[in-house]
Amino acid sequence: MTHSLVGAKDALRAWTSALWHLFFPSRCVVCGNILNEGEEGLCLRCNMDLPRTNYHLEEGNPVERMFWGKFTLERATAYFYYQKGSDFRNLLHQLKYGGRKDLGEVMGRFVAMELEAVHFFRDMDVIVPVPLHPRKERMRGYNQSRCIAEGVSRVTGIPVDASSVVRCKHTESQTRKSVYERWENTEGIFQLRHPKAFVGKHVLIIDDVLTTGATTTACADAFAQVEGVRISVLTLAVAN
């Protein structure tokens, strides 16, 4: 293929993309305003207003305390607070139910760039997104936690393993369950396929929203018999 033909195709793609954005501009998932060039997912104002927890700056933070006594934890944090009445609820709703898997990758990059500055990801070997049951993933078309993990991986270079931990039981939605029911609903729902591959490894478990910690703990429990494994946790949001 000649250079002139390649250049013509690139120019056509750029023109088509510009025309598409002219008639169908990207909008902020929170406020709905048209995004400026260089903005992704969130406009600059909503990004600045995002209710960040900054827990990654606090040893023994509330997210870490949530897992104390449940499994051996290296460190844990959540990026921002989730409140039911908040405008930012639409970000999570669109990510989980609106088909906006691109938001997971974008937000994964955002959180990774901020946490990388304080060496949150030091000595981590592999990222494991909390898996969905295959039936639910087929219905949704993607696993939102994996999308977040892929965004984190792009910034940190830590590989994502989305196949070794499998969800072997289909569970009902946790949304309307009590704390006790959430823990009962998640008991034994994950299995680890290749335990020897994780011996002595530092695993980062990534999920979208942290409420009681039941699902995340169940995922960590899949590594319970692996010698020398270390677990850290990162979620996009935590219920406030």
Side-chain angles (χ1 to χ4, degrees), residues 26-41:
S26 298
R27 293 183 177 274
C28 174
V29 72
V30 176
C31 69
N33 289 336
I34 294 175
L35 295 177
N36 294 318
E37 186 176 353
E39 294 178 336
E40 295 182 276

Side-chain angles (χ1 to χ4, degrees), residues 2-239:
T2 64
H3 290 296
S4 59
L5 185 56
V6 172
K9 286 193 172 184
D10 288 343
L12 179 61
R13 277 196 293 267
W15 181 84
T16 303
S17 176
L19 189 64
W20 174 268
H21 287 294
L22 177 64
F23 290 100
F24 304 99
S26 298
R27 293 183 177 274
C28 174
V29 72
V30 176
C31 69
N33 289 336
I34 294 175
L35 295 177
N36 294 318
E37 186 176 353
E39 294 178 336
E40 295 182 276
L42 302 176
C43 67
L44 180 60
R45 182 182 183 87
C46 287
N47 196 334
M48 292 177 63
D49 290 343
L50 188 72
R52 290 168 170 80
T53 68
N54 289 317
Y55 284 160
H56 58 286
L57 303 176
E58 181 183 344
E59 188 174 347
N61 64 62
V63 170
E64 292 183 347
R65 293 200 297 271
M66 192 178 293
F67 299 114
W68 284 356
K70 297 180 174 69
F71 60 90
T72 302
L73 179 74
E74 287 287 308
R75 46 191 176 270
T77 192
Y79 189 37
F80 68 92
Y81 295 111
Y82 167 72
Q83 296 175 311
K84 289 186 178 180
S86 167
D87 291 338
F88 290 94
R89 70 189 185 281
N90 196 46
L91 193 163
L92 294 169
H93 189 271
Q94 288 298 312
L95 171 60
K96 293 185 72 167
Y97 309 114
R100 292 291 307 275
K101 68 178 186 178
D102 60 298
L103 287 173
E105 197 271 344
V106 168
M107 296 306 295
R109 285 191 280 112
F110 285 175
V111 65
M113 285 187 286
E114 292 189 30
L115 270 60
E116 181 90 316
V118 296
H119 310 294
F120 178 85
F121 303 101
R122 65 186 183 277
D123 69 30
M124 291 180 182
D125 299 299
V126 62
I127 298 172
V128 172
V130 172
L132 293 175
H133 189 274
R135 185 168 66 187
K136 182 176 286 187
E137 186 165 351
R138 283 194 299 271
M139 291 175 59
R140 187 169 295 171
Y142 58 92
N143 175 3
Q144 70 276 4
S145 296
R146 181 173 183 175
C147 297
I148 298 167
E150 295 289 355
V152 171
S153 179
R154 283 191 60 181
V155 173
T156 63
I158 304 170
V160 176
D161 184 335
S163 61
S164 292
V165 177
V166 294
R167 194 160 190 153
C168 51
K169 295 181 183 178
H170 180 70
T171 55
E172 300 174 1
S173 172
Q174 299 274 72
T175 305
R176 292 181 174 84
K177 292 187 178 296
S178 67
V179 173
Y180 174 77
E181 289 172 332
R182 285 172 183 258
W183 284 94
E184 190 177 43
N185 195 43
T186 56
E187 187 176 357
I189 63 174
F190 298 110
Q191 289 183 351
L192 183 61
R193 278 178 169 163
H194 312 294
K196 289 184 179 179
F198 293 92
V199 172
K201 300 293 186 182
H202 186 174
V203 178
L204 175 63
I205 295 175
I206 286 185
D207 204 358
D208 56 351
V209 184
L210 183 64
T211 305
T212 64
T215 303
T216 307
T217 298
C219 188
D221 285 345
F223 296 90
Q225 304 304 315
V226 179
E227 183 180 355
V229 73
R230 294 174 291 154
I231 304 290
S232 288
V233 173
L234 169 62
T235 67
L236 187 60
V238 59

